[in-house]
Amino acid sequence: MPADAHRTKAAPDAGRAEPASPLTERQEARRRRILEACARLASRGGFDAVQMREVAESSQVALGTLYRYFPSKIHLLVATMQDQLEHLHATLRKKPPAGETAAERVAGTLMRAFRALQRDPLLADAMVRALTFADRSVSAEVEQVFRRTTAIILDATDLADPTPEQLSAVRVIGHTWHSTLITWLSGRASIEQVGADIETVCRLIDLTAPPRSRQS
Amino acid sequence: MPADAHRTKAAPDAGRAEPASPLTERQEARRRRILEACARLASRGGFDAVQMREVAESSQVALGTLYRYFPSKIHLLVATMQDQLEHLHATLRKKPPAGETAAERVAGTLMRAFRALQRDPLLADAMVRALTFADRSVSAEVEQVFRRTTAIILDATDLADPTPEQLSAVRVIGHTWHSTLITWLSGRASIEQVGADIETVCRLIDLTAPPRSRQS
DNA sequence: CGCCGATCTAGAACAAGTTTCAGAGTTGAT
DNA sequence: ATCAACTCTGAAACTTGTTCTAGATCGGCG
C-alpha cells in the first residue's frame, strides 16, 4: 500500500519544516521537480494538461514514484497550490497592504493576490478546481490550504486576537475568494464583479470589529 | 457531432418550458429516467457512483443516447442539481420563511435548504462537486443553477428591486452557501460552523438594506 | 405502403487516472 | 563490505469517462 507509505514517509507536508520524516536531499529534489513540472504544465493547458504520465516524464520520475509522492492528481494540484500560496504569503509579508480599515486592507490584499493569479489563469484554474473538487481523502491537505488562506487574510486584518465572530467572517471571506475566483475563471463573471464582491464581503470584518468601538 | 446535436435538439433546457425543440413524449420520459437514475445512484455512493454506463443501464438507454442528452457527466450532474433546486424552490415558495429582517429570512431559508440536502449528503456532494468542477463548456448550465440559487435568496429577502450592492451581497451569500456546503460535505466543518458562517454572511443583506432607513 | 432522415442501440475503441509487479538501485546498520 | 529493507524504475493492466461505428427503429410524408 504505497498510498500509506505516502502518509508516513514521503510526504514532508508543510507546517514549515518537515515533521513526518526527514526526506533525503534527492527526495526533496524529486518532490520539487514534480511540483515544478506540475505548475509548468498547468500554466499552459490548465487542469487537463496536467497529465500524470506527462508530469512523471517531465520531472524525470517514474509514474509509480509520482504516485508515491502524491497519491492522486488532486493531491498533486492541491500541494502545488499550497506551494504557490506560500510564495504569495511571503511576498505579501514583505509589503503589507496599506489602508485605514481592516476591510480595506483585506480587500487590498485579496485583490493583489487576485492579480497575481490573473497572470497565470490556467494554473490558477487547475489549482482551484482541484481544491474544490477534492474529496475527504484530501481533506488534510485542503485544510492546510484553507489555513494558509485564513492566515493571509488574518494578517491583513492586523487583529491581535480575533473573536469567533471574526474568525467566521474570515472564513466567509476565504470562501468568497475561492468562489469568485472560480466564477471568474470559468468566464461567468467580470473582473469588476469580482472586485465588487470582494469589497462587499470584506465589510464583514469591519462589521464585527470597527476600528476601536465595540468590544465584548 | 452528437454533442452539437444536444445543443440544438435534445436539450429542452430549463427556463420553464422547452424553448429549443419540442421533444417528444418518449424523449421527455427518457430524460426524466436519466435524471432519476442519476439522482438515485448519486444518493448512494456519491459522485463516484454516478458512472455513465450505470446511469445508462439503469435508465434503460444506450450509452450513446445518454451522451446525446447530457454531453458529459458534469453536465448530467449539474442538470440534476438544477432539477432538485426547482423542487426545493417550489417547496420554499409554498412556505416562505418568517423573520423580522431580511438577514433572518435568508439565513432561515438557507438553513432549511441545508437541512434538505443533509438528508441526502451523497447526492448533495455529487451535485455540488460537479458544479464547482465544471469548466467553461458547462457555463451556461452552471449559470442557470446560480440564477436559481440567487432567485431563491432574493425571494427570501422580499426586496422589490435590489440595488447592485444588494445583488453583490446576494452573490456573495450564494458563494458562501456553496462553499460551506462543500466544506461540510468533506468533513472539514461542523454543522454549527456552517450555521455560524451562514448567519455571518447574511448580515450583509441588512448592511446594504436596513429595513427602511437608507435609500439612494 | 414504402422511403428518408433523425434517433436509438449495442458494442468496440480510445484516453487518462490509477494500480500492480518484477527487478534494479540506495541506504543504513552492523 | 555486506545484508536487509526500503525506494525507484519501466512497463503492463485495469477503470471509467468519452468517442465512434454499423445497424435497428421511429416518425413523418409522398
Side-chain angles (χ1 to χ4, degrees):
Chain A
M1 22 186 99
D4 177 76
H6 165 266
R7 206 157 260 315
T8 57
K9 275 288 205 168
D13 225 85
R16 200 151 301 171
E18 343 69 68
S21 89
L23 238 322
T24 72
E25 244 175 70
R26 310 183 50 178
Q27 287 175 323
E28 193 53 60
R30 270 193 206 100
R31 191 184 136 88
R32 197 113 290 289
R33 281 206 308 279
I34 294 172
L35 287 176
E36 274 157 23
C38 176
R40 184 159 9 100
L41 287 171
S43 119
R44 21 186 191 301
F47 188 90
D48 291 338
V50 179
Q51 303 191 353
M52 298 305 266
R53 293 180 233 272
E54 285 274 316
V55 173
E57 183 176 357
S58 178
S59 52
Q60 311 238 269
V61 129
L63 192 56
T65 306
L66 172 53
Y67 272 94
R68 174 187 284 278
Y69 280 72
F70 302 96
S72 80
K73 175 170 172 173
I74 299 293
H75 282 84
L76 171 56
L77 279 165
V78 171
T80 302
M81 177 151 199
Q82 177 73 5
D83 197 44
Q84 304 280 320
L85 269 186
E86 275 161 24
H87 287 186
L88 178 64
H89 198 174
T91 307
L92 287 171
R93 265 193 221 280
K94 276 181 210 142
K95 309 190 183 181
E100 277 299 303
T101 67
E104 285 172 31
R105 289 191 298 275
V106 173
T109 300
L110 291 185
M111 287 312 288
R112 207 195 290 179
F114 186 67
R115 280 189 293 274
L117 293 179
Q118 259 184 68
R119 253 171 264 131
D120 217 332
L122 291 176
L123 172 59
D125 182 59
M127 296 187 309
V128 180
R129 295 253 298 285
L131 190 72
T132 58
F133 188 61
D135 66 359
R136 299 182 109 86
S137 72
V138 207
S139 45
E141 288 80 356
V142 172
E143 183 76 32
Q144 285 209 325
V145 168
F146 274 67
R147 256 205 284 285
R148 180 69 59 166
T149 306
T150 303
I152 290 177
I153 298 174
L154 224 37
D155 272 12
T157 65
D158 213 8
L159 251 42
D161 110 275
T163 66
E165 251 185 332
Q166 291 168 339
L167 286 178
S168 174
V170 169
R171 280 198 304 272
V172 169
I173 293 175
H175 287 153
T176 301
W177 192 58
H178 287 137
S179 290
T180 50
L181 196 47
I182 289 188
T183 308
W184 175 70
L185 288 166
S186 353
R188 295 197 312 278
S190 63
I191 301 202
E192 293 77 46
Q193 214 177 59
V194 171
D197 290 1
I198 294 285
E199 280 181 23
T200 297
V201 75
C202 283
R203 293 199 194 159
L204 280 174
I205 275 294
D206 286 349
L207 192 59
T208 61
R212 204 140 311 247
S213 53
R214 186 173 101 197
Q215 207 114 3
S216 66
Chain B
M1 17 178 102
D4 176 74
H6 165 267
R7 207 160 258 315
T8 56
K9 276 290 205 164
D13 224 83
R16 200 152 301 172
E18 343 69 70
S21 87
L23 236 327
T24 71
E25 242 175 71
R26 311 183 50 170
Q27 287 176 324
E28 193 53 59
R30 271 193 205 100
R31 190 185 137 88
R32 196 112 292 287
R33 282 206 309 279
I34 294 173
L35 287 176
E36 272 156 24
C38 175
R40 184 156 14 98
L41 287 170
S43 139
R44 22 186 190 300
F47 188 90
D48 290 338
V50 179
Q51 302 191 353
M52 298 305 265
R53 292 181 233 277
E54 285 274 318
V55 173
E57 183 175 1
S58 179
S59 52
Q60 313 239 269
V61 130
L63 192 55
T65 306
L66 172 52
Y67 272 94
R68 172 188 286 276
Y69 281 73
F70 302 96
S72 80
K73 176 169 171 173
I74 299 293
H75 283 83
L76 171 57
L77 280 165
V78 171
T80 302
M81 177 150 199
Q82 177 73 3
D83 197 45
Q84 305 279 319
L85 269 186
E86 275 162 24
H87 287 186
L88 178 64
H89 197 173
T91 307
L92 287 171
R93 266 194 221 278
K94 278 182 208 140
K95 310 188 184 182
E100 278 298 303
T101 67
E104 285 173 32
R105 289 190 299 274
V106 173
T109 300
L110 292 185
M111 288 311 287
R112 208 194 290 176
F114 186 67
R115 279 189 293 275
L117 293 179
Q118 258 184 68
R119 254 171 263 132
D120 217 332
L122 291 176
L123 171 60
D125 182 58
M127 295 187 309
V128 181
R129 295 253 298 286
L131 191 71
T132 59
F133 187 61
D135 66 0
R136 300 183 109 86
S137 72
V138 207
S139 41
E141 287 79 357
V142 172
E143 183 76 32
Q144 285 209 324
V145 168
F146 274 67
R147 254 205 285 285
R148 180 69 60 165
T149 306
T150 303
I152 292 178
I153 299 174
L154 223 37
D155 271 13
T157 65
D158 214 9
L159 251 43
D161 106 280
T163 66
E165 250 185 334
Q166 291 168 339
L167 286 178
S168 174
V170 169
R171 281 197 305 270
V172 168
I173 293 175
H175 287 153
T176 302
W177 192 57
H178 287 137
S179 289
T180 50
L181 195 47
I182 289 189
T183 308
W184 174 70
L185 289 165
S186 358
R188 295 197 313 277
S190 62
I191 300 202
E192 293 78 45
Q193 215 179 60
V194 171
D197 290 1
I198 294 285
E199 280 181 23
T200 297
V201 75
C202 283
R203 294 198 197 159
L204 280 174
I205 275 295
D206 286 349
L207 193 59
T208 60
R212 204 139 312 246
S213 54
R214 185 173 101 199
Q215 206 113 359
S216 66

